[in-house]
Amino acid sequence: MERYANLFISFSLLFFFLNYSLFVCKSMASSLQLNHDQLNIMANLSNSLSPNSYNNWNTSDPNPCLWDRVICSAGPSTVVTGLSLSNLSIPTAANVGDFFSILCRLDTLQNLDFSQNYIAMIPDSFFSNCTGLSGLKSLDLSSNELTGPVRNFSSFASLETLDLSYNSLQGTVETQLSSSSKLKSLNLGSNLLMGTIPTFVTDGRRVAAFEELVLSNNQFTGTIPSEIFEHENLTVLDLSTNSLSGTIPEKIGMLSNLNALDLSSNQLTGRVPATLSNITALFQFAATRNNLTGNIPSITKFLSSLDLSYNNLGGEIPSDLLASPNLEYVDLSSNRLGGAIPTNLSIGLQWLLLSENLLSGIIPTSIGKLSQLAYLELDNNNLYSEIPSQLGNCSNLEFLDLSSNALYSELPKEIGNLQKLEVLALQTNNLSGEIPVEMNELQSLHRLNLSSNSFTGEILPTISNLRQLFYIHLQHNKFYGSVPDSINVLVYLNELYLGGNYFNGSIPSSLGGLQYLEILDLSYNNFSGNVPDSLSNILSLTELVLSYNNLSGVFPPFSSSVNVVTVGNKNLIILNGSAESNSPGNDVFVTTDSSKRKIQVALVVVSSFVAGFSVSFLMSSLT
Ligand SMILES: *[C@@H]1O[C@H](CO)[C@@H](O)[C@H](O)[C@H]1NC(C)=O
Ligand SMILES: *[C@@H]1O[C@H](CO)[C@@H](O)[C@H](O)[C@H]1NC(C)=O
C-alpha cells in the first residue's frame, strides 16, 4: 500500500493539473470557436454515441469546447486537443466502431483517455490505419474489456504514452509497437500476456527510449533480458507478478535514472545485486515473494522503500541497512535472517517489518527515537529481550506486534503514551507482572492480545476507557479477580477470551449488553454462580465457552446458532432447549431424583440434536 503512495501522489497531482487546465480551458473557451471541419467532426462524434448520451455532452451548446470532457487549445486557431471520456460505462454496443473511425479525422487530437469503460472491441484499422491521429501523444485504453493480441500500432507515430493495462489482452508482445519510436511510457500491466519480456530492442537498436515500463501481472516467463538495461532513461520498471525465473542481473545497476523497481511475485533466484546501491535515483525497490537467497547487501543508501519479504534471504541484517536517512518503509518479513536487529535505525522509519525470521538478541532501545514509526512487527523471531520503555516515545505507533518471541519483562507503563495504538499483539512470550493502569489510556486500541504469557493482576474497571476495543485476548495467563461490570461499555467488543486464568466471582450480567459479541470464552477459571439469562440476548453470539468453572443453577436457553460448551461445571443444570455441543456425559447433575430423570431424557434428545448440529457445523466450517 505504502509502496504506491508516492506513485499515487504523482497521479493525484496529475489529476489536479488536468482538472485545473480543463478549468482554465473552459473559462477561456467561451471566446474561442472551432472551424467548420472540427465542428462537423464533433457533431458526428456526438451522434455516434447516441441515443445514449454516455459522454454527457450538451450538444445544444454550439461550442464543443464548452462540452464536458472536451479540451481545446487556446492558440491562435482553436482546435480540439483532448478528449477525456474515462469512466462513462460506454459499452462496445454503443457504436464504438463508428466513434473510432470518426475520431481518426480529428487530426488535432493529442490526448485520448478512454479508460474505465466496457469496450471489448476496437476495429484493427484504428490502430494500424488511422493516419489522422499521427499526432496523438497519449492514448489511455486501460480498464476496458479488450481481448486478443496487442495490435499493430502503426497509426500513432507520435505516441509517447500508451496505457493498455487492466484488459484481457493475450499472446506475446513482439514487433507490434515498433513504429512508436517516441514511446516513453508503456503500461501493459494486468493482462494475460505471455512469452518472454519484450525488450523493445532489435539488432542492438532501441525501438524507443522508455522511461516507464509496466509489464506487471501478466504471464511472462523466462529470465530478465539484459537488453532491457539499454533503456538507460528508465525511471519506472515494474515486472512484478509474472513467472520470471533466473537471477536479477548485476547490470541492473546501469539504470542510473531508475526511481522505482518492482520485481515482486516471480520465481527469481540468486542474490540481491549490490549494484543497486549505485542507483542514486532509486527510492523504491521491491522483490517480495521470490526465492532470493544469500545476504542482503547494503543497498539502502538512497532508498526510501525496501520490500524483500517472503524470500530465503539469510545471514545478518547489515548494520547500516536500516540507518539510511531516507528510509521510511522496510519489509524483510518471512526470510531466514539471523543475528540481532541493528541498533542504527533511521529516524524517518515509518514501517519496520521483520516478522518470521530467526532474529535473536534484544529489541534495541534506539527504537525510541523513531518518532514517525507507525508499524512495528517483530513477531515470530527468537528475541530474548525486555520490552524497552523507550517504545513509549514512538508516539505515532499504530500497530505493534512482538508476539511469539521470548520477551520476559513487565509491560512498561510508557506504553500508555501510544495514543494512536490500534493493535497490541504480545501473545506467546514470557511477559509477566500486572498490566499498568496507563494501558487504559490507549484510546485507539482495537485489538489487544496478551494471551499465553504470565501476566497477573486484575482487569481494572477503567478498561471501559478503551472504547474502540474489538478483540480482547487475555487467555492463558495468571489473571485473577472478577470481570468488572463496566466491560459492557465496550460496545464494539467482538471477541472476549479470558480462558485459562484464575478469574472468579460471577459472570457479570452486563455482558448481555454487548450487541456485537460473537465469542465469549471464560473456560478454565473459577467463575461461580448462575449463567446470567442476559447472555442469551446477544444476537451476534456464536460461541459461548464456559467449560471447567464452578457455575451452577439452571443453564438458560440459547438459540441453536450458538455453539455452547459447558462441560466441567459440576452444578450446572442443563434443560432441553439449550444446545450443548460438547459431550455433557461427564457432567454430574445435583438435583432431586424425579427432575433428574426428566433431565436425563432431555439430555438424550439434546445430545442427538447436538451430534447432528456438530456434524453440520463441522461440514459448514470445512466448506
Ligand atoms: C446546454 O446548453 C445550452 C446552450 O448553451 C444552455 O442554455 C443549457 O443551459 C445547457 N444545458 C445544461 C444542462 O447545461
Ligand atoms: C491472539 O493470540 C492467540 C495465540 O495465543 C491467537 O490464536 C489469536 O488468533 C490471536 N488473536 C488476535 C485477534 O490476534
Side-chain angles (χ1 to χ4, degrees):
M1 184 174 70
E2 176 71 9
R3 291 215 317 259
Y4 296 106
N6 291 309
L7 219 55
F8 177 73
I9 290 167
S10 48
F11 277 128
S12 316
L13 279 177
L14 190 71
F15 190 68
F16 171 78
F17 283 119
L18 214 61
N19 275 320
Y20 180 71
S21 44
L22 264 172
F23 170 77
V24 170
C25 268
K26 291 279 175 263
S27 44
M28 299 194 323
S30 47
S31 59
L32 308 172
Q33 261 306 334
L34 296 173
N35 68 26
H36 177 76
D37 253 12
Q38 296 242 318
L39 282 175
N40 191 268
I41 295 167
M42 290 306 291
N44 285 337
L45 271 183
S46 167
N47 286 340
S48 75
L49 290 181
S50 50
N52 301 304
S53 55
Y54 297 105
N55 48 29
N56 219 356
W57 284 344
N58 181 0
T59 46
S60 50
D61 192 316
N63 185 356
C65 290
L66 293 176
W67 296 353
D68 215 10
R69 300 161 176 270
V70 177
I71 300 147
C72 292
S73 71
S77 59
T78 304
V79 290
V80 176
T81 58
L83 293 178
S84 179
L85 302 174
S86 173
N87 200 5
L88 293 171
S89 308
I90 303 175
T92 305
N95 284 328
V96 284
D98 287 355
F99 177 85
F100 282 101
S101 65
I102 298 163
L103 200 61
C104 282
R105 291 161 45 206
L106 195 60
D107 59 6
T108 54
L109 197 65
Q110 295 181 4
N111 303 302
L112 174 60
D113 180 357
F114 215 85
S115 63
Q116 300 183 62
N117 286 300
Y118 301 114
I119 303 296
M121 253 300 292
I122 295 175
D124 277 357
S125 57
F126 175 72
F127 298 106
S128 58
N129 197 18
C130 183
T131 46
L133 291 189
S134 59
L136 194 70
K137 288 185 178 157
S138 156
L139 176 59
D140 188 348
L141 297 172
S142 64
S143 300
N144 275 286
E145 295 173 352
L146 297 173
T147 56
V150 174
R151 309 302 197 280
N152 188 325
F153 271 67
S154 48
S155 296
F156 312 111
S158 304
L159 208 56
E160 294 176 6
T161 303
L162 175 60
D163 192 344
L164 298 174
S165 61
Y166 294 97
N167 280 287
S168 299
L169 297 169
Q170 289 162 306
T172 59
V173 182
E174 286 164 32
T175 56
Q176 295 101 311
L177 297 168
S178 55
S179 332
S180 307
S181 60
K182 301 236 170 74
L183 216 49
K184 289 183 182 152
S185 169
L186 174 64
N187 190 344
L188 298 177
S190 300
N191 279 288
L192 303 166
L193 300 168
M194 52 191 278
T196 53
I197 290 282
T199 61
F200 307 101
V201 175
T202 39
D203 305 329
R205 288 181 56 119
R206 286 187 316 223
V207 163
F210 281 113
E211 292 173 10
E212 294 180 4
L213 187 54
V214 178
L215 302 174
S216 55
N217 201 13
N218 278 289
Q219 296 160 9
F220 289 115
T221 51
T223 57
I224 301 175
S226 61
E227 287 89 344
I228 214 156
F229 306 125
E230 315 244 330
H231 296 278
E232 79 259 359
N233 295 346
L234 272 176
T235 60
V236 174
L237 179 60
D238 185 353
L239 305 179
S240 63
T241 318
N242 280 292
S243 299
L244 302 177
S245 53
T247 60
I248 306 174
E250 295 275 332
K251 262 176 119 178
I252 206 154
M254 289 167 57
L255 297 176
S256 58
N257 293 301
L258 211 53
N259 295 157
L261 174 63
D262 196 344
L263 305 175
S264 302
S265 300
N266 280 291
Q267 289 135 34
L268 298 169
T269 53
R271 292 166 174 265
V272 175
T275 52
L276 286 171
S277 64
N278 300 338
I279 311 178
T280 58
L282 192 65
F283 70 86
Q284 219 172 60
F285 172 48
T288 173
R289 293 176 201 275
N290 279 288
N291 295 317
L292 300 172
T293 51
N295 293 9
I296 302 176
S298 295
I299 50 170
T300 50
K301 191 162 169 204
F302 305 105
L303 285 182
S304 85
S305 166
L306 174 66
D307 186 355
L308 292 173
S309 57
Y310 295 93
N311 278 289
N312 281 310
L313 297 164
E316 299 195 0
I317 301 175
S319 61
D320 60 349
L321 193 82
L322 307 178
S324 159
N326 303 320
L327 213 50
E328 293 175 357
Y329 179 98
V330 177
D331 190 353
L332 304 177
S333 311
S334 295
N335 277 290
R336 308 181 51 76
L337 299 167
I341 299 172
T343 53
N344 201 350
L345 301 170
S346 159
I347 56 164
L349 275 171
Q350 294 170 20
W351 299 57
L352 180 57
L353 313 178
L354 304 175
S355 317
E356 294 184 45
N357 277 290
L358 306 168
L359 296 169
S360 54
I362 62 161
I363 300 173
T365 55
S366 53
I367 233 153
K369 291 188 303 186
L370 309 186
S371 58
Q372 308 298 313
L373 194 65
Y375 271 69
L376 179 61
E377 293 183 18
L378 305 178
D379 56 286
N380 289 285
N381 279 292
N382 301 322
L383 298 171
Y384 182 70
S385 174
E386 303 189 349
I387 297 180
S389 60
Q390 289 86 345
L391 208 50
N393 298 335
C394 301
S395 54
N396 278 303
L397 208 55
E398 292 171 23
F399 193 107
L400 176 60
D401 192 346
L402 305 177
S403 63
S404 299
N405 277 291
L407 307 181
Y408 55 77
S409 64
E410 298 193 352
L411 196 53
K413 65 179 192 313
E414 289 81 1
I415 288 278
N417 298 339
L418 304 177
Q419 292 294 309
K420 294 188 180 170
L421 200 64
E422 291 176 20
V423 173
L424 179 58
L426 300 176
Q427 70 268 23
T428 324
N429 278 293
N430 297 319
L431 298 165
S432 58
E434 297 192 6
I435 307 214
V437 270
E438 289 81 359
M439 270 279 291
N440 292 338
E441 281 156 29
L442 300 179
Q443 306 283 338
S444 313
L445 203 62
H446 189 78
R447 185 175 353 148
L448 174 64
N449 201 339
L450 303 180
S451 60
S452 300
N453 278 289
S454 295
F455 285 114
T456 182
E458 301 191 41
I459 300 183
L460 300 172
T462 48
I463 195 168
S464 59
N465 291 347
L466 308 183
R467 294 294 166 91
Q468 303 300 323
L469 268 177
F470 200 78
Y471 299 116
I472 300 181
H473 288 229
L474 301 181
Q475 68 270 32
H476 304 299
N477 277 288
K478 296 172 178 163
F479 291 112
Y480 54 80
S482 55
V483 175
D485 268 337
S486 62
I487 203 155
N488 74 332
V489 175
L490 305 179
V491 286
Y492 301 118
L493 202 59
N494 193 268
E495 296 183 1
L496 180 58
Y497 280 93
L498 301 178
N501 282 289
Y502 305 118
F503 288 113
N504 55 31
S506 52
I507 301 175
S509 68
S510 68
L511 281 175
L514 294 173
Q515 282 310 305
Y516 295 109
L517 196 63
E518 285 182 27
I519 301 177
L520 178 60
D521 184 348
L522 305 177
S523 62
Y524 294 94
N525 279 291
N526 296 319
F527 286 106
S528 55
N530 291 350
V531 176
D533 288 342
S534 64
L535 295 188
S536 57
N537 298 337
I538 311 177
L539 298 177
S540 49
L541 201 64
T542 59
E543 253 180 85
L544 178 62
V545 186
L546 303 175
S547 43
Y548 298 99
N549 279 289
N550 290 318
L551 297 166
S552 57
V554 177
F555 188 69
F558 278 86
S559 134
S560 63
S561 59
V562 186
N563 187 29
V564 172
V565 187
T566 58
V567 66
N569 287 282
K570 285 204 240 18
N571 301 326
L572 196 61
I573 303 164
I574 317 269
L575 300 172
N576 63 354
S578 342
E580 163 63 69
S581 64
N582 258 26
S583 161
N586 298 337
D587 284 6
V588 179
F589 294 91
V590 185
T591 52
T592 63
D593 268 350
S594 66
S595 68
K596 191 172 171 182
R597 204 173 316 123
K598 256 190 248 164
I599 288 163
Q600 277 168 343
V601 170
L603 210 54
V604 172
V605 175
V606 171
S607 302
S608 47
F609 166 74
V610 161
F613 176 77
S614 307
V615 168
S616 58
F617 180 78
L618 194 68
M619 297 299 281
S620 65
S621 48
L622 284 174
T623 52

